[in-house]
């Protein structure tokens, strides 16, 4: 338990930040899984609609990563690495 008012405030701030970090990180993981699932579908079908869906998913991943970086949830180099890796997967197909 906190012994001072400032310690109580820090506990509240840490909890708020923990929930925000968890939201961003889990959303990124979910979107990346969805991206790879769509990528496998596109590999088999080569349908332009699937390609559009894949680009949309990649765009939302980039958006989430950039917002997370702006809020100091992700390090900028980690964000750049993930974005480049995913773009490479799309480029290969």
């Amino acid at each position: 338990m906190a012994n001072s008012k400032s310690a109580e405030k820090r506990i509240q701030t840490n909890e708020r930040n923990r929930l925000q970090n968890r939201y961003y990180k889990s959303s990124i993981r979910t979107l990346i899984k969805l991206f790879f699932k769509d990528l496998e579908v596109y590999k088999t079908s080569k349908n332009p609609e699937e390609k559009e869906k894949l680009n949309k998913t990649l765009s939302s991943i980039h958006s989430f990563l950039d917002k997370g970086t702006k809020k100091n949830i992700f390090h900028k180099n980690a964000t750049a690495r993930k974005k480049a890796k995913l773009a490479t997967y799309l480029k290969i197909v």
Side-chain angles (χ1 to χ4, degrees):
M1 233 17 236
N3 291 326
S4 65
K5 199 169 187 177
S6 63
E8 289 177 12
K9 289 179 186 177
R10 285 305 302 163
I11 289 170
Q12 291 172 350
T13 304
N14 289 339
E15 180 63 16
R16 183 194 67 220
N17 291 343
R18 184 185 72 82
L19 292 174
Q20 185 181 44
N21 293 347
R22 191 173 77 174
Y23 168 72
Y24 272 90
K25 289 180 180 188
S26 68
S27 295
I28 288 295
R29 281 193 299 267
T30 304
L31 285 170
I32 288 175
K33 287 176 190 175
L34 183 65
F35 175 79
F36 283 118
K37 183 178 165 189
D38 291 344
L39 190 64
E40 289 302 317
V41 170
Y42 177 69
K43 278 182 181 178
T44 58
S45 71
K46 296 291 185 184
N47 191 354
E49 294 164 1
E50 295 295 330
K51 177 89 170 185
E52 184 62 35
K53 185 178 178 186
L54 206 53
N55 283 327
K56 230 176 191 179
T57 304
L58 187 62
S59 175
S60 62
I61 290 171
H62 285 191
S63 174
F64 254 90
L65 284 170
D66 289 337
K67 287 178 187 175
T69 303
K70 186 177 178 182
K71 295 181 181 189
N72 289 326
I73 295 169
F74 304 112
H75 191 274
K76 65 177 184 172
N77 291 354
T79 298
R81 185 180 65 242
K82 286 180 183 184
K83 287 166 65 173
K85 190 98 167 170
L86 292 172
T88 303
Y89 281 118
L90 183 60
K91 191 174 181 181
I92 289 172
V93 174

